[in-house]
Amino acid sequence: RYNGFFTWTDVNGNPNNLAPTNPLSLLDLRSDESQTTRMVLNGSADYRFSFLPELRANLNLGYDRSKGTGTVMVDTSASFAYNSVFGGGVDNFYEKINTNRILEFYLNYKKDFGKNTFDIMGGYSWQHFEVQDTFRNSDFLGNPEQTTADAFPKEYYLVSLFSRLNYDFDDRLLLTFTVRQDGTSRFSEDERWGLFPSAAAAYKLLDNDSERLNRVKLRFGWGITGNQAIGSNFYPYLPIYQLSQENALYQFGDEFVSTLRPNGYDFGIKWEETTTYNTGVDLGFKQDRLTVSLDYYQRYTKDLINFIPVAAGTNLTNFILTNVGDLENQGVEIALNSDLLSSQKFEFNLGVNAAYNRAEITKLTATDDPNYIGVETGGIAGGVGSNIQIHSVGYAPNSFFVFQQLYDADGNLIEGEFEDLNGDGGPETIEDKYRYQKPAADWTFGMTGYFRYNKLDLSFAGRASLGNYVYNNVQTDRGGLSTIFNSNYLRNVHGSALDNMTLNQGDLTFSDHYVEDASFFRMDHITLGYDLTGTIGRSFRVYTTVQNPFVITGYSGLDPEIFGGIDNNFYPRPRTFLIGLNVEF
């Protein structure tokens, strides 16, 4: 009945919509094709005034327009597009147009006074973003026939006034001052503009050609930056009514009428501001063959923009985008670069860096409320509205919010049994959950290297992450043996169900057992090359590259490097092999 492909059906022979779809039928009976065209235009003009050669004017213009169109076609015989009312199948069309225009103009004056340099710049920037969608969703016979253009095309403007002053005194003391005033149409007129200044100073204590310590430079910085990036909702401050879709009409007699419903909004949403203090030192040894940079920073973010729940009756929605609280970051960074060997026959360069960061939420409510647990976030598979993470004062953002798993004397997981953290002796409630680990790493490391012996060269780059944790939602969603036979069809389960001998995945959802240490070392690429210059052309080099050759980790999932810390249907990074040559004539 379904073009010969095996299909799980109900007692009436209709497809069981809960069962997995036959993957071969998806390949054979579904066509999903798209095409994207993009136009990028850039122009710039730089003019130096003849009567004042130290003064120059610069104009930059940019235009970027992309148009994506696509169709989705599914045959009427496909079980996954079965429709008992209409003809079945799918005939969808979609189109999306993104446009970005930019204009930037600035004046720059630079003057040398002996060993001193004075450099001042001021300018204006204007950007306009537009998004337009068109789509049609119908069955194979074209029901319904209506093609819907976006009734609410989106756009916003970003305007900036900026200035910078650099002063170099005796090539020893370096001073920098900047100020920006940015305006965005995403916020109301009362909150549209933000002022963001910064200042930095550097002083060279030592700068010579010594074979030992030849350079010492101290650096200090302070600055405020703003963020107006709030996702796809371009107008969170506007009261907007939304037109109902075709499958949500209201019936008056024989007539079906579209409805209008109000959306939630926050008229007072404003810029998110981050203030950063930084101090650092740069050291050079053996005429800068070995360089070391050390930095310590503190970063304070206020008026954090987040999508949070609101009390019933206080707005026209139960979740709203608003300025919700404050966040503090502090950390250290160190970078070392060295030319270990440098001769006509040998060359070896190595660079490493390390960074430590600690983040803590310091405010989430307008007034202190010790009973406020925080903002639950991190949606997972495991039930409607299930969240595995939380933003809480005194903890890192997106901390995992879980039950403490109990184990038997042999260390085996006791299914559905958790520590009674609130001591009430009753069933598990939210009071029995605790905040356990976080997705962000404590330490991150980077490494690059280059080695050459005669005409043979080898380069590589890798990085490591320590202290990052991942919630294995693949195991909790598919790790129950009782779901092998479910609703009259057979289902694959995750191998962890046998390892832990767990029956019901619902008992696993909020267990801290599935929050795993996902620390890793990943080699990003290794490139081996050979120089054959003299055989063909002016230069000739062949090389081979392996991208993502290996990862070292204790994480049990497919990939430990998961943004947000929730592993669910994550597509693993591929390993890519390249062979190439560079020839110059």
Side-chain angles (χ1 to χ4, degrees):
R1 179 179 178 183
Y2 302 110
N3 215 341
F5 290 100
F6 177 87
T7 301
W8 290 106
T9 60
D10 58 23
V11 294
N12 298 317
N14 297 324
N16 186 338
N17 293 326
L18 298 176
T21 300
N22 189 319
L24 293 181
S25 70
L26 285 171
L27 290 172
D28 194 62
L29 303 179
R30 185 176 188 270
S31 171
D32 187 349
E33 298 181 357
S34 63
Q35 176 179 332
T36 300
T37 58
R38 186 176 183 185
M39 176 188 294
V40 180
L41 299 174
N42 291 293
S44 64
D46 190 273
Y47 182 76
R48 298 182 182 271
F49 295 85
S50 57
F51 62 90
L52 190 60
E54 296 86 1
L55 180 65
R56 55 187 282 253
N58 184 275
L59 174 66
N60 295 310
L61 300 173
Y63 178 83
D64 185 351
R65 183 180 187 270
S66 62
K67 178 180 179 181
T69 59
T71 57
V72 179
M73 304 292 292
V74 177
D75 190 87
T76 54
S77 63
S79 62
F80 54 87
Y82 173 80
N83 191 313
S84 60
V85 178
F86 298 105
V90 173
D91 180 6
N92 293 348
F93 167 81
Y94 57 89
E95 177 182 89
K96 186 169 188 176
I97 301 174
N98 291 326
T99 307
N100 178 15
R101 301 175 178 89
I102 184 170
L103 179 150
E104 184 181 73
F105 175 80
Y106 64 86
L107 293 171
N108 184 231
Y109 178 82
K110 184 176 181 180
K111 180 71 175 179
D112 294 330
F113 302 93
K115 292 185 178 181
N116 302 332
T117 301
F118 177 82
D119 187 346
I120 187 170
M121 180 267 290
Y124 168 82
S125 176
W126 173 94
Q127 276 187 280
H128 182 208
F129 302 87
E130 291 181 283
V131 178
Q132 174 74 57
D133 290 312
T134 303
F135 62 91
R136 181 193 71 241
N137 292 334
S138 65
D139 64 17
F140 195 79
L141 298 179
N143 300 312
E145 300 178 354
Q146 182 179 4
T147 298
T148 303
D150 194 345
F152 193 33
K154 298 174 283 291
E155 66 172 347
Y156 74 91
Y157 292 85
L158 187 61
V159 175
S160 302
L161 299 171
F162 53 88
S163 181
R164 183 195 66 217
L165 170 64
N166 291 330
Y167 188 78
D168 183 350
F169 180 74
D170 197 26
D171 196 29
R172 186 169 291 271
L173 176 63
L174 309 174
L175 300 174
T176 299
F177 303 94
T178 67
V179 63
R180 296 181 63 95
Q181 187 170 30
D182 296 324
T184 175
S185 62
R186 288 184 160 191
F187 304 146
S188 69
E189 293 183 4
D190 295 337
E191 307 292 350
R192 186 155 293 171
W193 291 92
L195 186 66
F196 309 112
S198 69
Y203 186 73
K204 297 179 182 178
L205 291 175
L206 184 66
D207 190 7
N208 55 41
D209 295 328
S210 171
E211 284 295 326
R212 294 184 178 181
L213 180 63
N214 66 278
R215 181 163 58 92
V216 178
K217 184 165 111 175
L218 301 178
R219 294 178 282 104
F220 305 92
W222 164 86
I224 301 175
T225 57
N227 175 39
Q228 54 89 44
I230 50 180
S232 60
N233 185 358
F234 285 9
Y235 315 101
Y237 78 95
L238 284 178
I240 296 173
Y241 283 83
Q242 182 171 331
L243 188 68
S244 64
Q245 297 183 4
E246 291 298 318
N247 59 352
L249 305 181
Y250 196 85
Q251 184 176 2
F252 287 95
D254 297 332
E255 184 179 4
F256 289 87
V257 179
S258 298
T259 62
L260 286 173
R261 64 173 175 84
N263 288 334
Y265 67 98
D266 177 14
F267 185 76
I269 192 171
K270 57 186 178 181
W271 285 86
E272 180 181 289
E273 292 188 4
T274 298
T275 302
T276 302
Y277 302 88
N278 180 84
T279 182
V281 58
D282 298 327
L283 305 175
F285 301 88
K286 295 183 178 298
Q287 298 181 359
D288 282 346
R289 290 181 60 187
L290 172 64
T291 61
V292 180
S293 294
L294 295 168
D295 283 272
Y296 171 76
Y297 65 87
Q298 286 186 314
R299 186 175 297 129
Y300 303 93
T301 302
K302 68 176 184 177
D303 299 323
L304 275 167
I305 297 175
N306 197 13
F307 196 61
I308 64 169
V310 293
T314 60
N315 211 299
L316 299 169
T317 181
N318 56 348
F319 274 81
I320 195 170
L321 192 71
T322 187
N323 302 94
V324 68
D326 299 344
L327 175 69
E328 178 180 335
N329 282 269
Q330 57 181 334
V332 294
E333 298 177 352
I334 181 171
L336 293 87
N337 291 281
S338 62
D339 295 328
L340 300 178
L341 294 173
S342 182
S343 67
Q344 185 175 359
K345 190 174 183 180
F346 292 99
E347 186 176 355
F348 184 27
N349 303 325
L350 182 65
V352 295
N353 61 76
Y356 170 81
N357 181 74
R358 177 181 177 273
E360 178 183 337
I361 297 173
T362 56
K363 181 184 177 183
L364 278 177
T365 54
T367 58
D368 290 337
D369 182 0
N371 298 319
Y372 182 62
I373 65 170
V375 181
E376 292 192 62
T377 185
I380 58 172
V384 178
S386 294
N387 294 297
I388 199 65
Q389 296 170 329
I390 195 170
H391 301 312
S392 296
V393 172
Y395 296 87
N398 299 300
S399 295
F400 295 105
F401 196 43
V402 289
F403 295 120
Q404 186 174 338
Q405 182 66 55
L406 291 179
Y407 301 87
D408 62 20
D410 296 325
N412 299 315
L413 180 151
I414 305 176
E415 184 177 350
E417 296 292 331
F418 306 102
E419 191 71 37
D420 183 15
L421 295 183
N422 69 346
D424 63 358
E428 290 80 16
T429 64
I430 193 171
E431 285 78 17
D432 291 304
K433 288 185 177 181
Y434 76 113
R435 295 153 188 86
Y436 175 63
Q437 302 299 348
K438 62 191 186 327
D442 296 320
W443 285 93
T444 56
F445 302 88
M447 175 182 64
T448 60
Y450 174 79
F451 174 79
R452 179 184 60 82
Y453 174 71
N454 287 333
K455 296 184 177 183
L456 181 69
D457 63 84
L458 175 71
S459 62
F460 57 87
R463 53 201 163 85
S465 176
L466 297 179
N468 56 299
Y469 282 74
V470 167
Y471 172 72
N472 197 328
N473 197 196
V474 178
Q475 291 189 8
T476 58
D477 185 43
R478 302 179 183 273
L481 293 170
S482 63
T483 60
I484 291 178
F485 183 73
N486 185 18
S487 299
N488 298 315
Y489 67 90
L490 291 173
R491 183 177 187 232
N492 288 328
V493 298
H494 195 272
S496 61
L498 289 175
D499 297 334
N500 299 318
M501 292 308 295
T502 49
L503 292 176
N504 302 304
Q505 71 265 39
D507 294 333
L508 318 176
T509 303
F510 296 104
S511 170
D512 63 0
H513 178 84
Y514 297 94
V515 178
E516 300 185 41
D517 186 347
S519 301
F520 67 89
F521 172 78
R522 180 187 299 276
M523 185 64 72
D524 286 321
H525 76 82
I526 301 174
T527 299
L528 181 66
Y530 193 81
D531 189 354
L532 294 171
T533 299
T535 58
I536 299 178
R538 290 191 300 174
S539 67
F540 183 27
R541 178 176 177 268
V542 295
Y543 65 92
T544 179
T545 297
V546 183
Q547 296 177 349
N548 190 30
F550 64 87
V551 179
I552 300 174
T553 182
Y555 177 60
S556 64
L558 291 178
D559 196 314
E561 191 176 3
I562 297 174
F563 179 77
I566 298 176
D567 184 357
N568 188 356
N569 294 327
F570 180 85
Y571 196 85
R573 292 169 176 81
R575 180 176 295 114
T576 306
F577 298 87
L578 301 173
I579 298 176
L581 57 88
N582 293 327
V583 182
E584 182 178 337
F585 297 96

